[in-house]
Amino acid sequence: MSRETSQDLEESSLDLVLLSNFVHQIVNPLNGVAGTLDNIVENKIKDEKRKDQRLRAARAQLEQCISLIRNLAYFAQGFQRLTSYEQRDILVPEQIIRSAMFFQEDAELKGIRISLEERFIANRVRGHLELLNQVYINIFDNCVKYSQVNTTVNVNQWIQRDSGNLLVSIKSTMKRPLNRAELPRIFELGYRGINARQVVASGTGIGMYICKKIVEEVHGGKLEVQLIGDERIEFLIRLPNAFPESQRMRP
């Protein structure tokens, strides 16, 4: 087989995996919305407060689907650096909070809390709004799926003094320990660690791959992961083109 043919097959396989992942991520929220609407139409949810919560969750799920569909069109063009025309000013704490809201109900059912510390420090960054939404959504999705019940996902955001980069740290407590040897493979296309397969049997293993592409190839940043002790895991996002809410910056 020629090198060109092998490369074509690899790219074709990658396209199919991407498409499969997006279909999977769109169908699941839509099924949730359909189930919510059925329960409301059939008057199975009597409590008005609970009904309002379910409707808000359904709306968030629809927003997630819209974002995914928009991103699918972008991914079809490949992962390319942003032009100045594609960038916009993004209010960082607002974006993090909105992304976390997609998982608020699932998290509450498991006793998991997503907590953004320093939420009133209105740092900003220039980037692609929908694609960065997808990064946070994928990471929060993993945190809710694989975290211990009754724990907190701690999120911090600050601008580094020396580099001027925006740093976002997302730490969670894993339900099952991650083998340190697996850590470098988290961002590989299609890879799912042993601990992930033990907690959730099915999955595409593409979410973290997409995150790394968006952060590094599209935005020129850096996405890293590290273990803290035996139970805690931290995702650290570094993005250029940030500017602080004030002159308060951290090392």
Side-chain angles (χ1 to χ4, degrees):
M1 181 182 297
S2 68
R3 180 179 299 179
E4 290 78 8
T5 303
S6 176
Q7 183 176 353
D8 289 344
L9 288 174
E10 183 178 349
E11 291 177 354
S12 176
S13 175
L14 174 59
D15 289 343
L16 289 175
V17 172
L18 282 168
L19 180 59
S20 174
N21 178 69
F22 274 102
V23 170
H24 175 77
Q25 292 193 52
I26 289 171
V27 167
N28 284 349
L30 288 178
N31 282 335
V33 172
T36 296
L37 294 178
D38 286 342
N39 289 334
I40 291 174
V41 169
E42 295 168 12
N43 202 29
K44 292 182 179 179
I45 305 176
K46 305 294 185 181
D47 183 77
E48 289 298 321
K49 182 178 179 181
R50 180 65 174 168
K51 186 183 295 184
D52 182 67
Q53 289 175 339
R54 293 297 299 151
L55 285 172
R56 289 179 183 276
R59 187 182 189 284
Q61 288 172 314
L62 286 175
E63 288 181 350
Q64 181 182 4
C65 291
I66 292 168
S67 176
L68 286 167
I69 292 169
R70 286 175 176 167
N71 290 345
L72 180 58
Y74 185 88
F75 289 138
Q77 304 171 25
F79 297 98
Q80 301 172 357
R81 286 293 294 268
L82 292 175
T83 65
S84 58
Y85 176 77
E86 294 171 307
Q87 297 181 28
R88 59 175 290 185
D89 291 347
I90 301 170
L91 183 61
V92 178
E94 178 182 287
Q95 182 176 48
I96 292 172
I97 291 169
R98 287 179 64 86
S99 298
M101 285 177 61
F102 291 135
F103 307 99
Q104 182 175 352
E105 186 163 353
D106 285 345
E108 287 180 353
L109 291 173
K110 298 178 181 179
I112 296 172
R113 179 169 173 260
I114 301 176
S115 174
L116 172 61
E117 301 173 24
E118 301 177 336
R119 63 173 57 203
F120 299 111
I121 298 181
N123 293 321
R124 297 175 181 269
V125 68
R126 288 193 61 79
H128 193 291
L129 178 66
E130 287 79 14
L131 291 179
L132 289 177
N133 282 344
Q134 189 62 33
V135 172
Y136 295 120
I137 286 170
N138 280 342
I139 294 178
F140 289 142
D141 184 31
N142 274 265
C143 290
V144 172
K145 282 180 181 175
Y146 303 121
S147 289
Q148 289 184 19
V149 298
N150 300 319
T151 58
T152 299
V153 178
N154 299 107
V155 187
N156 286 276
Q157 56 92 19
W158 70 97
I159 293 179
Q160 193 173 38
R161 183 182 298 113
D162 293 340
S163 67
N165 290 339
L166 170 73
L167 272 68
V168 179
S169 166
I170 302 173
K171 299 177 183 176
S172 62
T173 303
M174 295 177 291
K175 186 177 295 185
R176 293 181 181 272
L178 178 67
N179 187 329
R180 290 183 180 273
E182 294 183 293
L183 196 63
R185 303 193 62 190
I186 281 181
F187 300 113
E188 287 184 12
L189 176 60
Y191 182 77
R192 297 186 73 232
I194 295 173
N195 68 327
R197 297 196 299 272
Q198 289 174 336
V199 176
V200 180
S202 63
T204 59
I206 198 173
M208 291 299 101
Y209 169 85
I210 288 177
C211 289
K212 196 164 183 71
K213 289 285 187 179
I214 292 172
V215 171
E216 298 190 356
E217 295 192 17
V218 177
H219 288 84
K222 188 75 174 176
L223 176 57
E224 303 167 308
V225 62
Q226 65 176 343
L227 294 178
I228 305 171
D230 294 327
E231 296 183 334
R232 298 276 285 172
I233 189 169
E234 178 186 28
F235 290 95
L236 186 62
I237 303 166
R238 301 174 185 267
L239 292 170
N241 304 318
F243 44 102
E245 171 267 345
S246 67
Q247 295 305 309
R248 290 181 295 175
M249 302 175 77
R250 289 165 53 178

